[in-house]
Amino acid sequence: MYELRIADGFRVDPADYARDLDAIRAVREPVFLVEQQVPPELEWDDLDPLSRHVLARDFDGRPIGTGRLTPEQRIGRMAVLAKWRGKGVGEAMLMRLLDQARDMGYPQIELHAQTHAIPFYARAGFVAEGEEFMEAGIAHQIMRIALEPREAITRKPLPQSNEQPVETFDECRAATLAVLKASRHRVCVLSRDLDPNLLSNEAALAEFRRVAVSGRGAEIRLIVQDPVAAMRTAGQLVALAQRSPATIAIRTPTEEIDLNHASAYLLNDSGGYLYRPLASRFEASTHLHAGGRNRQLQESFDKVWERSEVPVELRTMRI
């Protein structure tokens, strides 16, 4: 299974071609016209105004990458500014374009990959077909990927089982990752010290990064009762929040009742949760599609969040 490795410091959003044309040009012209010497008459075509576009921007709002999905069900014009290459920008843009294709109900997507980029697209599930060919003086390869329409995904029957018990550390770690993977744009965590063994491992951090750059509305809220312990034992997750202040926020409760709250839980925006009655133990209950219980926990979380503030220990780190 393809695993995104998304760097911090940028976000990807849908773009409006007319409104965002200057930003799109600010990426495509240096990459295609200057670096690759593509003639302008080949770079800009009649499909541009008809296509869906995405823009990657740094956290100062400067455009750093772009791509498009045409009515011909083809992804193209994928470009990332030189200093941002190798940092996950391309993966994040490709993910957003494929999401848009699923929303449109497209059964498959085609693209013309420059031959040096074939491994990049192959990691995302694209399969090369046919022979290499020249396009704008550059060697290309046709690649395709089959898609399940978003409608079919959302209409899959939900599991009928009740919440599942979790009894061991390995089960708890697996359930934590499952809830994170099922999240779309929002994750909430209430924890004493951000549970480093559950939330600060590489697999979990990759999911936090994915959610953080998932587009408008992306939000990760972390309530930590002991910020000093979190900084000491869950440094990678704290550092991720420090580098992604636009989408990841950490707060600490200000009231005694919340500081002494015994449980810990993880919530996503698709009805999933992992609830541990005692934060010091790994016994838990979990479910990926339990909207009622999820909403109940979310209401409790939101109340504690409103009574919390950025801890002094983290203000010095400008979180």
Side-chain angles (χ1 to χ4, degrees), residues 25 30 75 77 80 89 93 114 134 151 157 160 182 187 194 223 226 231 236 240 251 263 272-273 288 296 310 319:
R25 285 185 178 276
I75 286 176
R77 301 302 196 268
V80 177
V89 179
M93 294 195 306
Q114 295 186 15
M134 300 301 291
E151 181 180 2
Q160 298 300 310
V187 173
L194 295 181
I223 295 177
D226 187 345
M231 292 170 63
Q236 287 182 288
L240 177 60
R251 290 188 184 182
S263 64
Y273 68 87
L288 293 181
Q296 181 186 48
V310 178
I319 285 185

Short mmCIF file of all heavy atoms in Angstrom, two decimals, residues 25 30 75 77 80 89 93 114 134 151 157 160 182 187 194 223 226 231 236 240 251 263 272-273 288 296 310 319:
data_model
loop_
_atom_site.label_atom_id
_atom_site.label_comp_id
_atom_site.label_asym_id
_atom_site.label_seq_id
_atom_site.Cartn_x
_atom_site.Cartn_y
_atom_site.Cartn_z
N ARG A 25 0.65 30.33 -12.75
CA ARG A 25 1.76 30.73 -13.63
C ARG A 25 3.08 30.80 -12.86
O ARG A 25 4.15 30.46 -13.40
CB ARG A 25 1.47 32.09 -14.26
CG ARG A 25 0.44 32.07 -15.38
CD ARG A 25 0.31 33.46 -16.00
NE ARG A 25 -0.64 33.47 -17.11
CZ ARG A 25 -0.34 33.13 -18.34
NH1 ARG A 25 0.90 32.75 -18.64
NH2 ARG A 25 -1.26 33.17 -19.29
N PRO A 30 8.25 28.82 -14.31
CA PRO A 30 9.64 28.47 -13.98
C PRO A 30 9.97 27.01 -14.24
O PRO A 30 11.10 26.69 -14.65
CB PRO A 30 9.74 28.80 -12.48
CG PRO A 30 8.61 29.71 -12.19
CD PRO A 30 7.53 29.38 -13.15
N ILE A 75 -4.76 13.53 -15.36
CA ILE A 75 -3.99 14.41 -14.48
C ILE A 75 -2.77 14.89 -15.26
O ILE A 75 -2.12 14.12 -15.96
CB ILE A 75 -3.57 13.67 -13.20
CG1 ILE A 75 -4.78 13.51 -12.26
CG2 ILE A 75 -2.44 14.42 -12.47
CD1 ILE A 75 -4.50 12.71 -11.01
N ARG A 77 0.15 18.60 -15.89
CA ARG A 77 0.76 19.87 -15.49
C ARG A 77 1.18 19.84 -14.02
O ARG A 77 1.06 20.82 -13.30
CB ARG A 77 -0.18 21.04 -15.75
CG ARG A 77 -0.62 21.21 -17.20
CD ARG A 77 0.55 21.38 -18.14
NE ARG A 77 0.13 21.91 -19.44
CZ ARG A 77 -0.21 21.14 -20.48
NH1 ARG A 77 -0.19 19.83 -20.38
NH2 ARG A 77 -0.56 21.71 -21.63
N VAL A 80 6.35 21.34 -9.28
CA VAL A 80 6.75 21.78 -7.95
C VAL A 80 8.02 22.61 -8.09
O VAL A 80 8.95 22.21 -8.82
CB VAL A 80 7.01 20.58 -7.01
CG1 VAL A 80 7.49 21.06 -5.64
CG2 VAL A 80 5.75 19.72 -6.86
N VAL A 89 5.43 17.47 -1.52
CA VAL A 89 4.43 18.35 -2.14
C VAL A 89 3.72 17.64 -3.28
O VAL A 89 2.49 17.70 -3.41
CB VAL A 89 5.08 19.65 -2.62
CG1 VAL A 89 4.04 20.56 -3.28
CG2 VAL A 89 5.77 20.37 -1.47
N MET A 93 -0.36 16.84 -3.64
CA MET A 93 -1.17 17.33 -4.76
C MET A 93 -1.83 16.18 -5.50
O MET A 93 -3.01 16.25 -5.88
CB MET A 93 -0.31 18.16 -5.71
CG MET A 93 0.22 19.45 -5.13
SD MET A 93 0.86 20.58 -6.39
CE MET A 93 2.04 19.55 -7.26
N GLN A 114 6.45 12.02 -17.33
CA GLN A 114 7.83 12.10 -17.79
C GLN A 114 8.57 10.87 -17.25
O GLN A 114 8.34 10.45 -16.11
CB GLN A 114 8.48 13.40 -17.32
CG GLN A 114 7.84 14.64 -17.93
CD GLN A 114 8.56 15.92 -17.57
OE1 GLN A 114 9.69 15.89 -17.09
NE2 GLN A 114 7.90 17.05 -17.79
N MET A 134 7.46 10.84 -27.27
CA MET A 134 7.95 12.19 -27.06
C MET A 134 6.80 13.18 -27.03
O MET A 134 5.88 13.10 -27.85
CB MET A 134 8.94 12.58 -28.15
CG MET A 134 10.16 11.67 -28.24
SD MET A 134 11.13 11.65 -26.70
CE MET A 134 11.80 13.33 -26.72
N GLU A 151 -18.95 7.87 -4.61
CA GLU A 151 -20.30 7.47 -4.25
C GLU A 151 -20.31 6.03 -3.78
O GLU A 151 -20.98 5.68 -2.80
CB GLU A 151 -21.23 7.64 -5.45
CG GLU A 151 -22.67 7.25 -5.16
CD GLU A 151 -23.55 7.44 -6.38
OE1 GLU A 151 -23.02 7.82 -7.43
OE2 GLU A 151 -24.76 7.21 -6.26
N PRO A 157 -21.78 -0.57 2.97
CA PRO A 157 -22.46 -0.80 4.25
C PRO A 157 -21.48 -0.68 5.40
O PRO A 157 -20.35 -1.16 5.33
CB PRO A 157 -22.99 -2.23 4.11
CG PRO A 157 -22.15 -2.86 3.03
CD PRO A 157 -21.79 -1.75 2.09
N GLN A 160 -21.59 -3.82 11.07
CA GLN A 160 -22.71 -3.95 11.97
C GLN A 160 -22.29 -4.35 13.39
O GLN A 160 -23.12 -4.44 14.29
CB GLN A 160 -23.69 -5.01 11.42
CG GLN A 160 -24.26 -4.61 10.06
CD GLN A 160 -25.02 -3.31 10.13
OE1 GLN A 160 -25.87 -3.11 10.98
NE2 GLN A 160 -24.70 -2.40 9.21
N ALA A 182 -8.56 6.43 9.16
CA ALA A 182 -9.95 6.66 8.72
C ALA A 182 -10.33 8.13 8.77
O ALA A 182 -11.41 8.51 8.30
CB ALA A 182 -10.91 5.84 9.57
N VAL A 187 -8.86 15.57 13.45
CA VAL A 187 -8.50 14.61 14.49
C VAL A 187 -8.48 15.35 15.82
O VAL A 187 -7.97 16.49 15.90
CB VAL A 187 -7.11 13.97 14.24
CG1 VAL A 187 -6.68 13.12 15.43
CG2 VAL A 187 -7.13 13.14 12.97
N LEU A 194 0.34 12.85 25.47
CA LEU A 194 0.34 12.57 24.03
C LEU A 194 0.79 11.16 23.71
O LEU A 194 1.13 10.86 22.56
CB LEU A 194 1.18 13.59 23.25
CG LEU A 194 0.64 15.01 23.27
CD1 LEU A 194 1.53 15.94 22.44
CD2 LEU A 194 -0.79 15.08 22.75
N ILE A 223 -5.37 17.98 23.26
CA ILE A 223 -5.45 18.41 24.65
C ILE A 223 -4.49 17.54 25.44
O ILE A 223 -4.62 16.31 25.47
CB ILE A 223 -6.88 18.26 25.21
CG1 ILE A 223 -7.85 19.19 24.48
CG2 ILE A 223 -6.89 18.55 26.71
CD1 ILE A 223 -9.29 19.05 24.94
N ASP A 226 -0.39 17.09 30.74
CA ASP A 226 0.96 17.30 31.29
C ASP A 226 1.90 17.69 30.14
O ASP A 226 2.58 16.84 29.57
CB ASP A 226 1.45 16.02 31.97
CG ASP A 226 2.76 16.22 32.72
OD1 ASP A 226 3.44 17.24 32.48
OD2 ASP A 226 3.12 15.35 33.54
N MET A 231 6.42 17.12 26.08
CA MET A 231 7.61 17.64 25.41
C MET A 231 8.79 16.69 25.58
O MET A 231 9.63 16.56 24.69
CB MET A 231 7.96 19.02 25.96
CG MET A 231 6.94 20.10 25.61
SD MET A 231 7.21 21.65 26.50
CE MET A 231 8.82 22.11 25.87
N GLN A 236 8.41 14.37 18.90
CA GLN A 236 8.17 14.45 17.46
C GLN A 236 6.79 15.02 17.15
O GLN A 236 6.63 15.82 16.23
CB GLN A 236 8.32 13.07 16.84
CG GLN A 236 9.77 12.59 16.74
CD GLN A 236 9.86 11.24 16.08
OE1 GLN A 236 9.48 10.23 16.64
NE2 GLN A 236 10.35 11.23 14.85
N LEU A 240 5.97 18.56 15.39
CA LEU A 240 5.09 18.66 14.23
C LEU A 240 4.07 19.78 14.44
O LEU A 240 3.79 20.56 13.52
CB LEU A 240 4.37 17.33 14.02
CG LEU A 240 3.34 17.27 12.89
CD1 LEU A 240 3.99 17.59 11.55
CD2 LEU A 240 2.66 15.91 12.85
N ARG A 251 -3.48 22.45 23.49
CA ARG A 251 -3.94 23.18 24.66
C ARG A 251 -3.85 22.30 25.90
O ARG A 251 -3.85 21.07 25.80
CB ARG A 251 -5.39 23.66 24.49
CG ARG A 251 -5.57 24.76 23.46
CD ARG A 251 -7.01 25.30 23.50
NE ARG A 251 -7.25 26.28 22.45
CZ ARG A 251 -8.41 26.92 22.30
NH1 ARG A 251 -9.43 26.68 23.12
NH2 ARG A 251 -8.56 27.81 21.33
N SER A 263 -9.56 9.44 31.84
CA SER A 263 -9.57 8.73 30.56
C SER A 263 -8.73 9.44 29.50
O SER A 263 -8.27 10.57 29.70
CB SER A 263 -11.01 8.58 30.07
OG SER A 263 -11.57 9.85 29.79
N GLY A 272 -15.21 7.58 13.94
CA GLY A 272 -14.32 6.65 14.62
C GLY A 272 -13.82 7.19 15.95
O GLY A 272 -13.71 8.40 16.14
N TYR A 273 -13.50 6.27 16.84
CA TYR A 273 -12.94 6.68 18.14
C TYR A 273 -12.15 5.52 18.76
O TYR A 273 -12.34 4.35 18.41
CB TYR A 273 -14.05 7.11 19.10
CG TYR A 273 -14.95 5.99 19.55
CD1 TYR A 273 -14.63 5.19 20.66
CD2 TYR A 273 -16.12 5.70 18.85
CE1 TYR A 273 -15.45 4.14 21.04
CE2 TYR A 273 -16.94 4.65 19.23
CZ TYR A 273 -16.61 3.87 20.34
OH TYR A 273 -17.41 2.82 20.71
N LEU A 288 -14.92 2.21 14.25
CA LEU A 288 -14.61 3.12 13.15
C LEU A 288 -15.85 3.80 12.59
O LEU A 288 -15.73 4.77 11.84
CB LEU A 288 -13.88 2.38 12.02
CG LEU A 288 -12.48 1.86 12.36
CD1 LEU A 288 -11.88 1.17 11.15
CD2 LEU A 288 -11.58 2.99 12.84
N GLN A 296 -20.85 12.04 21.11
CA GLN A 296 -20.86 12.19 22.57
C GLN A 296 -19.48 12.55 23.08
O GLN A 296 -19.32 13.48 23.90
CB GLN A 296 -21.34 10.89 23.21
CG GLN A 296 -21.44 10.93 24.73
CD GLN A 296 -21.78 9.57 25.30
OE1 GLN A 296 -21.17 8.57 24.95
NE2 GLN A 296 -22.77 9.54 26.18
N VAL A 310 -3.24 27.54 25.53
CA VAL A 310 -1.90 27.12 25.14
C VAL A 310 -1.01 27.10 26.37
O VAL A 310 -0.92 28.11 27.08
CB VAL A 310 -1.30 28.07 24.08
CG1 VAL A 310 0.12 27.64 23.72
CG2 VAL A 310 -2.17 28.08 22.83
N ILE A 319 3.99 27.81 19.70
CA ILE A 319 2.93 26.93 19.19
C ILE A 319 1.62 27.67 19.31
O ILE A 319 1.32 28.21 20.35
CB ILE A 319 2.90 25.61 19.98
CG1 ILE A 319 4.08 24.74 19.56
CG2 ILE A 319 1.60 24.85 19.73
CD1 ILE A 319 4.11 23.38 20.16
#
